[in-house]
Amino acid sequence: MDILPNHFEYENGILHAERVSALRIAEDIGTPAYVYSSAAIAERFAALQSGLSGIDHLICYAMKANSNQAILKLLKGLGAGFDAVSGGEYSRAIAAGVPGEKIVFSGVGKSASEMKTALECGIRQFNVESEPEISLLNEVAVSLGAKAPVAIRVNPNVDAETHEKISTGKSENKFGVPIARARSIYSEAAKLPGIEITGIDIHIGSQVRSIAPFRKAFSMVADLTAVLRADGHAISRLDLGGGLGIAYNRRGETSISPEDYCRTILESVGHLDCEIEIEPGRFIVGDAGILLSTVLYVKDGSDRRFLVVDAAMNDLMRPAIYDAYHEIVPVFEPGSRRDWERVDVVGPVCETSDTFARHRLLPKFSEGDAVAFLSAGAYGSSMASEYNTRALVPEVLVKGGTHAVIRKRPSIQEIIERDIVPAWL
Ligand code: LLP
């Protein structure tokens, strides 16, 4: 099958992640299970590193895509910085040994205690998103006798041409300050004793698959840099956000190559003598992970056949929330003579939205067959929940011929014991 991402392939008829058999993982730890390839992560990271090699830069991996400690450690070892969007993510990065100077703190609703933690343990920069946030950050910094390094996120009103639920750069979106008001907001912020302006931040959306919106937004950042510098601000860093998309439908879709993306950055802002930050999440881990599952039942409805699998919307939410497409492949290589049929692939959760694919042409499956959802490394496990009291899916990281469980499946008992029944009941 030609649709497998790099570092996943059939060997002797069985799907492998690098040199480890997916069947063996499924048998060892059961399904559903996430499996990641460390070589695939390293390869994506290296593509961006080399694309930006001509310029001072830091790739701040957007942890929200996948924040497992092992993945963070792997990326830290490759030289990544990190983009955290909550005190929890910030603490995860610190726990993985990341120095505060390599963490940017983004997000539209940081609390005073989150700001305090970051200022005390070290932070590269806060990407701030509103006037009241700047004023709170100033107060917190002053109370600690500190100065908070700040980039102000501007909203350029650029259409990222992506799914409306993950588009962030339009004026109706809650993110950033309107670019038209940036000058006055920068000049007010610069007067505050607890704030140190370091740069400009932008993020127009996620799963962006055409270069034009990036080019437009980056050139607006370049123009704003000149304007703010003329106003006397020291703009030394430009955080261009994340958003670089991947091709989920691996037969039909295309996305932007990392080379084109990096070239666009260099062309748009390379002349400004700024340190460039980018915050990719999906591009680095998306195609580096699969979700292994097992067919429980082949069920015939009145007008269609359902494959009921043991993974569900709580394990991989993207199809339910965004109608997202994920390739589905058998763990046993489909031979050329294997029959194909159209099926709906559904999970066991009691909602119709628990549907991974509708009317999808797939090789014929039988009950007990292992299947893999591709491109599940980003926003898979990190968005999972225990809805329907289904245990969080375990995660496995492969490196060459070895693999390790990097998060174990909790027992149902552990889940139940988190609840507290008051004595008066
Ligand atoms: N920086 C900021 C400020 C962000 O809000 C995001 C994503 C990123 C970076 C990383 O974007 P990426 O490179 O991964 O596209 N759950 C959705 C995606 C939500 C993205 C939210 N923000 C999904 O599964 O498609």
Side-chain angles (χ1 to χ4, degrees):
M1 271 199 157
D2 56 351
I3 61 172
L4 296 175
N6 282 0
H7 303 287
F8 294 89
E9 60 187 349
Y10 289 103
E11 257 178 61
N12 302 325
I14 295 170
L15 181 64
H16 279 60
E18 302 188 34
R19 298 204 309 279
V20 177
S21 152
L23 195 61
R24 189 174 143 211
I25 295 175
E27 283 167 358
D28 282 358
I29 67 162
T31 58
Y34 279 102
V35 180
Y36 311 119
S37 154
S38 42
I41 294 174
E43 180 183 271
R44 296 333 185 263
F45 187 80
L48 293 173
Q49 282 287 45
S50 89
L52 294 177
S53 60
I55 194 168
D56 191 11
H57 71 275
L58 184 67
I59 300 172
C60 297
Y61 167 64
M63 301 171 54
K64 62 171 81 69
N66 189 319
S67 54
N68 186 292
Q69 288 288 292
I71 305 281
L72 303 186
K73 268 237 153 81
L74 170 64
L75 284 161
K76 172 184 168 256
L78 297 171
F82 293 83
D83 169 43
V85 289
S86 69
E89 283 195 352
Y90 175 85
S91 300
R92 271 184 186 272
I94 295 288
V98 178
E101 311 80 70
K102 283 205 157 181
I103 307 174
V104 300
F105 198 151
S106 301
V108 75
K110 302 172 201 76
S111 70
S113 81
E114 290 175 321
M115 293 169 176
K116 184 165 179 280
T117 305
L119 282 167
E120 284 172 347
C121 304
I123 187 79
R124 178 180 179 82
Q125 114 211 353
F126 291 91
N127 289 334
V128 295
E129 304 217 13
S130 67
E131 290 126 307
E133 186 194 344
I134 296 170
S135 126
L136 178 62
L137 181 58
N138 174 57
E139 278 171 37
V140 175
V142 168
S143 75
L144 296 171
K147 250 185 182 303
V150 156
I152 298 178
R153 177 168 174 182
V154 293
N155 183 321
N157 194 22
V158 166
D159 184 353
E161 298 166 22
T162 182
H163 192 286
E164 60 164 333
K165 290 189 185 169
I166 52 175
S167 171
T168 55
K170 291 201 281 182
S171 55
E172 70 256 35
N173 302 133
K174 68 180 175 182
F175 301 97
V177 303
I179 199 161
R181 294 216 319 266
R183 268 183 93 179
S184 72
I185 295 172
Y186 268 87
S187 86
E188 289 307 308
K191 294 179 193 152
L192 301 173
I195 299 290
E196 184 198 346
I197 303 282
T198 62
I200 305 173
D201 173 45
I202 198 167
H203 171 75
I204 57 170
S206 190
Q207 182 56 4
V208 181
R209 292 193 299 117
S210 59
I211 201 76
F214 281 130
R215 189 179 291 283
K216 190 165 172 197
F218 298 164
S219 85
M220 290 169 81
V221 170
D223 293 347
L224 183 61
T225 304
V227 170
L228 293 176
R229 281 181 171 166
D231 286 349
H233 302 289
I235 304 295
S236 59
R237 271 188 204 152
L238 301 178
D239 183 334
L240 302 177
L244 181 54
I246 60 175
Y248 280 99
N249 181 332
R250 299 187 57 84
R251 289 178 212 278
E253 276 177 5
T254 54
S255 191
I256 306 166
S257 73
E259 293 77 20
D260 283 351
Y261 174 74
C262 292
R263 192 175 320 113
T264 302
I265 291 177
L266 297 185
E267 285 168 5
S268 313
V269 297
H271 57 289
L272 294 169
D273 194 25
C274 280
E275 183 176 9
I276 301 304
E277 295 161 341
I278 55 170
E279 301 170 351
R282 187 188 321 264
F283 176 78
I284 291 178
V285 291
D287 279 333
I290 60 174
L291 173 61
L292 284 179
S293 181
T294 302
V295 176
L296 296 174
Y297 302 107
V298 179
K299 167 177 169 168
D300 285 324
S302 60
D303 68 345
R304 67 190 65 202
R305 176 164 281 185
F306 296 99
L307 289 188
V308 184
V309 298
D310 67 356
M313 62 186 283
N314 68 296
D315 308 316
L316 176 63
M317 283 204 204
R318 305 192 65 262
I321 312 186
Y322 317 113
D323 290 319
Y325 184 101
H326 284 264
E327 295 288 1
I328 301 171
V329 299
V331 166
F332 284 106
E333 186 168 20
S336 53
R337 277 176 298 142
R338 191 161 165 169
D339 291 340
W340 291 63
E341 62 180 355
R342 288 208 181 265
V343 290
D344 283 15
V345 182
V346 301
V349 160
C350 306
E351 291 201 26
T352 301
S353 56
D354 187 21
T355 298
F356 290 114
R358 288 192 175 80
H359 212 53
R360 180 84 61 90
L361 186 62
L362 291 179
K364 235 179 181 163
F365 282 99
S366 307
E367 290 163 9
D369 282 351
V371 300
F373 293 86
L374 304 185
S375 309
Y379 306 108
S381 68
S382 66
M383 290 178 74
S385 80
E386 289 174 344
Y387 186 40
N388 280 209
T389 308
R390 293 170 45 86
L392 287 180
V393 180
E395 298 173 283
V396 173
L397 183 62
V398 170
K399 182 177 167 52
T402 61
H403 70 284
V405 174
I406 58 171
R407 189 174 72 190
K408 71 180 184 59
R409 193 191 310 276
S411 71
I412 297 300
Q413 196 54 31
E414 285 172 281
I415 298 174
I416 295 170
E417 282 170 5
R418 262 190 253 132
D419 295 355
I420 302 167
V421 179
W424 39 265
L425 261 184

